[in-house]
Amino acid sequence: MKSIKTIVSCGLIALAVVITFAGCASTGGGAAVVTATGEDGQFTAIAIPGAYNDTLAAALDWIGANAKEGGAYTITVKADETSAPRQLSYDGKRVSITIQGDTADRAVSLSGKGALFAVENGVALILDNNLTLKGRGNRESAANERALVEVHSGGILQVKAGAVITDNYNADNGGGGVQIHENGTFTMMGGEIRGNTAKGGGGVSIYKGTFTLTGGTINGNTATEWGGGGVQVGENAVFTLTGGEIRGNTATEGSGGGVNVGNKGAFTLENGTISGNTADKGHGGGVSVGENATFTLKGGEVSGNTAKNGGGVNIHKDTFTMEGGAIRDNTATESGGGMSVGENATFTLKGGTISGNTTAKAGGGMNVVRGTFIMEGGEVRGNTAGGGGGIAVSGGTFIKKGGTIYGDTDKTHTAGSSENTATGGNGHAVLLEDGGKRRYADTGPEVKLYAQWESSARAWTYNDPAAGGVGDTAGAWEN
């Protein structure tokens, strides 16, 4: 069987190539009325006979008995229904199934334990307008044991505007709303994934699969143990956010209220918003990035999130590159209002802004603890902390080659201004502190700085050209 690279039904833009239709299929009769050719062969929109299209169950049963290779089927739900768990698999045939409501929103509610839909190899499931998939209830007493929709190897899920996945409590593993398994593919172009709960990935969990969010919202979901209130990006999984919102999600025990990127996962934020998420006891209210994972911020924003450390972003033993976008107006109850850079982690700031973030302790914009921060561009401004209004560094490496970190030399910070402020009085721009040795910089936002903590000597070293240090650091740092 050839791999699915293009799946079409009436009105569907496929994943690999764009296909233009001459028209749309009728829901009556049994003839194929539209054909199109993609790089994997011909795909045909096939109407489900009217006698079998009165209920979702009848339509799926008919497709199960009559599925054609390359067939694209549309099911219109005409009333609220309940359904037992369904496996969508058709003897290896490539099949596309679109499910939509008619003129009003229609709910399909799960009646037993398991995935309402398990999308298997060769199948594309498209959830379209006026359709709500509902679990057994988003509470422990109604706990399910699976995500509401699962996508297995070779399967494809698309969620479009007007579709909702909600009210599922996965007590056993990851993915309250959707779980993507190895080699599965999920594209969300609109709609909502809301009000779901799981151990990890309250909204969506991905393991060695691919998830692209271009529109819609993932909101109000909860991760109870592993993190990722909105989205959990697991091992070798790839998540790309180019539009839409991840907002109002919660990690009650773990990290990453909005998104948690686990071992060897990759997350790219190109556009869209991660906002208002919370990591109650962990790190990274908006995004947390774990060991050997990568996070690239090219556009969009991480804003208004809250966590213990790293109100906006937390990275630990991993790599984060910021090329644009904004990390703004986040809050940490301990340190790192905007972000926290942990042990053996490397953060490179090439563009964008880190602004308006707050913490009572260290690092209003950023707190670096035995990690590395390299600043090549961008701005750090308008942040507030007890020490290190812009950036606080403890036992790590700080290299500033370009960009701007604003100080507050007259110590009369005005709310909303570009100045960073240390309420303790020193290090409005940058504070270096370890082993009782402290240095700070309040002035010269364009000054290029280098500092590295030498644990053996228990001292800071400065201006190491081999590591990128430039400028007259003797005049830039104060004791």
Side-chain angles (χ1 to χ4, degrees):
M1 184 188 74
K2 296 179 181 178
S3 62
I4 291 186
K5 295 181 181 176
T6 307
I7 292 292
V8 302
S9 64
C10 181
L12 170 65
I13 296 178
L15 298 180
V17 297
V18 177
I19 296 173
T20 303
F21 288 112
C24 288
S26 167
T27 57
V33 296
V34 177
T35 61
T37 300
E39 61 186 52
D40 267 358
Q42 191 176 71
F43 300 85
T44 304
I46 301 175
I48 300 170
Y52 299 96
N53 205 16
D54 288 338
T55 67
L56 175 65
L60 288 174
D61 287 344
W62 184 88
I63 295 171
N66 298 277
K68 303 294 184 183
E69 165 65 22
Y73 304 89
T74 297
I75 301 171
T76 301
V77 180
K78 301 177 177 64
D80 293 348
E81 297 186 32
T82 61
S83 176
R86 285 269 186 172
Q87 183 183 43
L88 305 182
S89 179
Y90 304 99
D91 298 323
K93 298 183 180 73
R94 298 173 304 136
V95 173
S96 168
I97 299 174
T98 297
I99 305 176
Q100 62 188 16
D102 55 3
T103 58
D105 184 70
R106 304 301 183 187
V108 178
S109 301
L110 178 65
S111 61
K113 286 190 175 183
L116 178 58
F117 296 119
V119 185
E120 304 294 344
N121 184 37
V123 179
L125 174 64
I126 299 97
L127 306 178
D128 210 339
N129 192 38
N130 289 338
L131 179 71
T132 297
L133 303 186
K134 296 185 68 174
R136 292 154 44 90
N138 187 24
R139 58 191 184 279
E140 193 169 4
S141 61
N144 193 6
E145 56 194 14
R146 309 288 285 273
L148 198 56
V149 181
E150 290 189 350
V151 184
H152 295 149
S153 180
I156 293 173
L157 172 66
Q158 292 187 357
V159 174
K160 303 174 77 172
V164 179
I165 297 174
T166 187
D167 213 23
N168 190 58
Y169 193 109
N170 184 351
D172 287 3
N173 48 46
V178 177
Q179 186 176 35
I180 310 300
H181 294 270
E182 184 172 3
N183 297 323
T185 302
F186 175 29
T187 303
M188 184 173 178
M189 296 171 277
E192 292 183 86
I193 298 175
R194 68 169 188 251
N196 303 285
T197 298
K199 288 186 174 181
V204 179
S205 176
I206 322 153
Y207 175 75
K208 295 184 178 180
T210 302
F211 175 31
T212 303
L213 176 59
T214 66
T217 62
I218 299 174
N219 62 287
N221 303 284
T222 303
T224 58
E225 293 186 23
W226 307 331
V231 179
Q232 171 75 27
V233 184
E235 181 179 354
N236 294 326
V238 177
F239 175 33
T240 304
L241 174 56
T242 63
E245 294 181 284
I246 299 174
R247 59 177 170 82
N249 303 283
T250 302
T252 58
E253 295 291 336
S255 297
V259 179
N260 188 50
V261 187
N263 184 41
K264 298 179 182 178
F267 173 37
T268 301
L269 174 55
E270 297 181 358
N271 201 358
T273 303
I274 299 174
S275 65
N277 304 284
T278 303
D280 287 338
K281 300 178 182 178
H283 312 302
V287 181
S288 182
V289 189
E291 187 171 357
N292 298 320
T294 60
F295 175 31
T296 303
L297 176 55
K298 296 182 178 181
E301 63 179 50
V302 180
S303 61
N305 304 284
T306 303
K308 184 177 179 180
N309 294 290
V313 177
N314 173 71
I315 63 173
H316 179 71
K317 294 184 178 180
D318 48 48
T319 302
F320 172 31
T321 302
M322 184 172 175
E323 300 173 3
I327 299 174
R328 65 174 181 84
D329 301 329
N330 302 284
T331 302
T333 57
E334 290 200 358
S335 61
M339 65 176 295
S340 177
V341 181
E343 183 179 3
N344 296 326
T346 300
F347 172 40
T348 303
L349 177 59
K350 297 183 176 181
T353 59
I354 299 174
S355 64
N357 304 286
T358 304
T359 182
K361 296 184 179 179
M366 180 192 324
N367 188 45
V368 183
V369 181
R370 290 171 174 77
T372 298
F373 171 53
I374 302 169
M375 186 171 184
E376 298 178 357
E379 291 186 326
V380 180
R381 56 181 172 83
N383 305 284
T384 303
I391 299 171
V393 184
S394 177
T397 298
F398 173 83
I399 302 172
K400 182 175 180 294
K401 301 178 181 180
T404 303
I405 305 173
Y406 292 90
D408 185 7
T409 54
D410 61 6
K411 303 177 185 179
T412 57
H413 177 73
T414 302
S417 74
S418 62
E419 300 166 335
N420 297 293
T421 299
T423 58
N426 294 326
H428 297 289
V430 182
L431 173 67
L432 310 176
E433 186 172 22
D434 206 322
K437 308 287 187 178
R438 173 182 290 186
R439 291 261 182 163
Y440 63 88
D442 291 332
T443 60
E446 299 292 350
V447 171
K448 294 175 172 57
L449 306 168
Y450 170 90
Q452 181 171 359
W453 175 251
E454 298 290 352
S455 58
S456 59
R458 297 189 64 77
W460 291 97
T461 61
Y462 307 96
N463 202 31
D464 181 356
V470 291
D472 179 9
T473 58
W477 295 103
E478 301 176 54
N479 287 313

